[in-house]
Amino acid sequence: MLTLSCPSCGANVNFHSKSSVFAVCSYCRSTLVRQDMNLESIGKMADLQDDLTPLKVGCTGSYKGQRFELIGRLKVGYSEGFWNEWYALFNDETAGWLAEAQGFYAMCFPLKDISLPRRKKLRPGSTVELGAEGVFEVEDVRNVKCLLSEGELPVNAVQGRESLSVDLTAPGNRMATIEYAESETRAFAGRYQDFDDFRFSNLRFIDGW
């Protein structure tokens, strides 16, 4: 783990993943970009609003027999609502994303060296081939923005960051997503899994649950 000092308040900012380039100071809420051993403050993040998620940064779980820890979160909004994307670091230093939306949970991992279609060609019901992952059907296409972020992340997740999000599904509880942002395009694939099967620990305490 790499520990650096927040340039705004001097508090320790921990980086668990070598891939993390962005963080939010847990003390002063400064948004920080990491360049090697230096941190640059680029603004402030608004306080996180309570959305009744049972998950939190520091929560641990299991996927396919491998333990992971949630080390960051993106709260992504669109016209009808929002969902959470939790940045997960596994014990072997593999990084993934745990998507949490409307009571559904899916663990997915970055896809590299694959050809992606142009965003204008994607419509609900159309199909996309994602390399060795096979063929997926487009379920939804949405313009979204980053509402809030916390912890550490592998992308510059400033408040208001806009992108086009494409959700895809395939038989066998498989899922995928493509994100078209201004400066980059990212794709991920994984599977849905029941909440209890993740064997979470260190969950948030929610009064009444």
Side-chain angles (χ1 to χ4, degrees), residues 1-59:
M1 181 173 66
L2 175 65
T3 300
L4 300 174
S5 295
C6 174
S8 296
C9 72
N12 287 343
V13 179
N14 296 322
F15 289 88
H16 299 78
S17 172
K18 297 177 182 178
S19 300
S20 296
V21 297
F22 178 90
V24 178
C25 177
S26 60
Y27 291 90
C28 70
R29 306 295 297 163
S30 291
T31 52
L32 309 170
V33 173
R34 179 169 73 92
Q35 297 178 351
D36 295 326
M37 299 295 290
N38 297 312
L39 287 178
E40 177 186 358
S41 177
I42 58 173
K44 289 277 188 178
M45 182 66 62
D47 290 336
L48 289 167
Q49 302 297 311
D50 187 6
D51 55 19
L52 294 180
T53 174
L55 304 178
K56 65 178 182 178
V57 171
C59 175

Side-chain angles (χ1 to χ4, degrees), residues 25-209:
C25 177
S26 60
Y27 291 90
C28 70
R29 306 295 297 163
S30 291
T31 52
L32 309 170
V33 173
R34 179 169 73 92
Q35 297 178 351
D36 295 326
M37 299 295 290
N38 297 312
L39 287 178
E40 177 186 358
S41 177
I42 58 173
K44 289 277 188 178
M45 182 66 62
D47 290 336
L48 289 167
Q49 302 297 311
D50 187 6
D51 55 19
L52 294 180
T53 174
L55 304 178
K56 65 178 182 178
V57 171
C59 175
T60 60
S62 178
Y63 180 72
K64 292 187 175 181
Q66 300 295 319
R67 297 296 294 174
F68 63 83
E69 179 180 355
L70 302 182
I71 61 174
R73 169 166 72 146
L74 279 174
K75 186 174 181 179
V76 181
Y78 59 104
S79 57
E80 288 85 26
F82 68 89
W83 71 85
N84 288 312
E85 297 178 356
W86 298 90
Y87 189 43
L89 184 66
F90 286 78
N91 287 346
D92 64 358
E93 298 190 355
T94 298
W97 288 88
L98 176 65
E100 176 194 22
Q102 300 178 344
F104 292 94
Y105 297 84
M107 182 65 76
C108 57
F109 300 91
L111 298 178
K112 299 179 180 180
D113 301 324
I114 64 170
S115 178
L116 295 173
R118 293 182 179 180
R119 65 178 74 188
K120 294 182 179 180
K121 293 185 176 181
L122 298 175
R123 297 286 186 276
S126 61
T127 58
V128 177
E129 184 173 353
L130 297 177
E133 295 294 329
V135 177
F136 290 76
E137 181 176 329
V138 176
E139 187 175 68
D140 205 358
V141 181
R142 291 191 178 111
N143 289 305
V144 303
K145 66 172 57 178
C146 174
L147 300 179
L148 296 165
S149 58
E150 62 175 323
E152 62 185 272
L153 296 163
V155 294
N156 192 335
V158 295
Q159 207 160 26
R161 176 182 182 270
E162 297 181 344
S163 61
L164 182 73
S165 179
V166 182
D167 293 331
L168 308 104
T169 59
N173 289 326
R174 292 188 297 142
M175 55 78 65
T177 182
I178 306 173
E179 181 198 57
Y180 296 90
E182 181 179 358
S183 60
E184 61 182 336
T185 298
R186 304 185 302 154
F188 308 85
R191 291 180 182 275
Y192 290 102
Q193 183 169 284
D194 290 339
F195 180 88
D196 290 342
D197 291 337
F198 282 105
R199 300 172 60 191
F200 289 116
S201 59
N202 193 30
L203 292 166
R204 286 181 60 206
F205 173 77
I206 300 178
D207 191 26
W209 281 33

